[in-house]
Amino acid sequence: MGQVTAAEAILLVGGQGSRLRPLTVNIPKPMLPCAGVPLLAHQIVRLREVGVRHVILATSYRPEVFTEYFGDGTALGLALEYMTETEPLGTGGGIRNAGALLGPDPEAPVLVLNGDVLSGHDIGAQLAVHAAACAEVTLHLVRVPDPRAFGCVPTNAEGRVTAFLEKSPEPVSDQINAGCYVFRRGTIDTIPDGDVVSVERDTFPGLLSGGSVVAGYVECSYWLDLGTPAAFVQGSADLVRGVLRSVAVERPGAALVAPDATVAVDAVIDGGSAIGPGAVVGAGAQVSGSVLLAGAQVAAGAVVRDSVVGLGAYVGERTALSGAVVGDAARIGADNELIAGARVWTDAVIGDHAVRFSAPS
């Protein structure tokens, strides 16, 4: 069998990113800058690499942010279209809604990806498994040490999915749904149109109960759900350092600094940090494994580790951040310390010597 490809894909990008707030107050989660470009850009160029030429973005929250940045996709070498939900339809409903823009061939494979996942798995191999199994749907599955927080997806010796099990204190498999699917085009049309539908709770179990072939492609390469600030910071740093390859990162290294950022000669930028356009890092400051969004300022002597500093936010002299999130346009004065999951809301102001804060466990 020659190489199996898919010409079309749907990216599910309608979520509000509530677990990432305040970073997502002004911008949808898939559009957050990750290693210098929106997270979604890494997924789109990866789809282009495996032969996809038509991508549909299933949007809901702040859809104009996507269209203003990506346009018709010409700059990325493929065609982009947008389907916006006026009311949230769930994962299945979103796929069915976007399916109206797909080509007509009912047997064509269609890639469907969650818009908040970074993965290095072999999409071509997943497509080949789908074709060989004559499956209605083929899921990318990963193995995790503790699947209790995810639910599990067991498979038999032939690689067919046997069940979709909710979160359980005693899981029967270490395999979980990794958020990348290959659908037979005709299967998408069987999802109820206009209804709120979950593929995990409704579509996939329904296919199994009806005797359809649902296949699993198990591969445990790089995989990360960027649903939390800590995961977002890790994903950006991994892309910058080349732990996960992306053609959207031209030169992996210790840091990625925008050409118009200003960094003092004695400042230290490392650990895969990404310094955004117009950002400023002052004398003697240290930024490690962190993301500074456009216009962010880190004053002299400040230390920022494993943290995110939002658009136009300010971190004062000698202030230390570790595992913290500073929202857009927030201002933190001198000599503060924010650690262990602390979050400062958009536009908030913290004065000098005001706080040593860690989030409750």
Side-chain angles (χ1 to χ4, degrees):
M1 179 185 295
Q3 183 179 9
V4 181
T5 61
E8 297 189 290
I10 296 171
L11 278 164
L12 302 174
V13 293
Q16 295 193 9
S18 56
R19 291 184 296 161
L20 277 168
R21 288 184 177 176
L23 297 175
T24 52
V25 169
N26 296 316
I27 188 169
K29 174 170 54 175
M31 293 301 292
L32 284 170
C34 189
V37 298
L39 164 62
L40 187 58
H42 297 287
Q43 294 180 310
I44 292 174
V45 296
R46 189 154 180 262
L47 289 172
R48 184 190 66 200
E49 285 187 301
V50 298
V52 172
R53 291 296 174 261
H54 179 212
V55 176
I56 301 158
L57 301 187
T59 67
S60 178
Y61 175 60
R62 300 291 303 274
E64 72 282 357
V65 179
F66 298 92
T67 56
E68 289 170 2
Y69 187 93
F70 290 113
D72 65 1
T74 300
L76 293 171
L78 40 66
L80 280 181
E81 290 192 271
Y82 304 84
M83 184 63 83
T84 300
E85 302 167 23
T86 54
E87 296 291 336
L89 295 172
T91 49
I95 293 168
R96 178 66 173 87
N97 193 46
L101 297 176
L102 293 170
D105 181 0
E107 300 304 321
V110 179
L111 283 162
V112 178
L113 288 79
N114 289 342
D116 56 359
V117 169
L118 285 176
S119 176
H121 82 284
D122 187 336
I123 294 176
Q126 183 180 353
L127 285 162
V129 166
H130 177 78
C134 298
E136 299 296 314
V137 182
T138 300
L139 290 76
H140 173 215
L141 306 176
V142 296
R143 293 189 173 98
V144 296
D146 185 358
R148 289 176 296 178
F150 300 94
C152 58
V153 185
T155 52
N156 63 18
E158 289 74 42
R160 294 180 58 163
V161 173
T162 58
F164 291 88
L165 303 176
E166 294 292 332
K167 300 172 186 178
S168 169
E170 296 182 3
V172 300
S173 171
D174 61 355
Q175 296 174 174
I176 67 168
N177 176 5
C180 177
Y181 319 117
V182 184
F183 272 81
R184 190 181 72 88
R185 166 71 180 89
T187 303
I188 291 175
D189 287 339
T190 68
I191 300 172
D193 190 15
D195 291 351
V196 178
V197 180
S198 164
V199 290
E200 300 86 357
R201 293 189 295 273
D202 303 318
T203 305
F204 298 154
L207 288 170
L208 285 184
S209 65
S212 296
V213 175
V214 179
Y217 171 70
V218 182
E219 185 188 336
C220 298
S221 57
Y222 185 100
W223 179 82
L224 188 64
D225 177 348
L226 273 66
T228 66
F232 170 71
V233 168
Q234 179 187 337
S236 180
D238 286 347
L239 286 163
V240 170
R241 294 181 297 141
V243 174
L244 175 65
R245 188 189 68 85
S246 171
V247 296
V249 180
E250 292 184 7
R251 298 179 185 85
L256 179 65
V257 180
D260 62 346
T262 301
V263 178
V265 293
D266 61 344
V268 177
I269 314 291
D270 61 14
S273 293
I275 312 300
V280 177
V281 181
Q286 301 177 46
V287 180
S288 183
S290 296
V291 179
L292 271 56
L293 301 189
Q297 298 181 58
V298 174
V303 177
V304 179
R305 299 186 187 280
D306 305 325
S307 298
V308 186
V309 182
L311 296 166
Y314 176 83
V315 177
E317 294 181 355
R318 297 174 302 280
T319 282
L321 308 181
S322 180
V325 176
V326 179
D328 296 349
R331 184 176 181 86
I332 303 174
D335 299 302
N336 291 291
E337 185 177 13
L338 289 89
I339 60 175
R343 303 193 193 194
V344 179
W345 202 254
T346 302
D347 297 312
V349 177
I350 297 175
D352 296 346
H353 310 279
V355 65
R356 182 185 189 276
F357 177 82
S358 61
S361 57

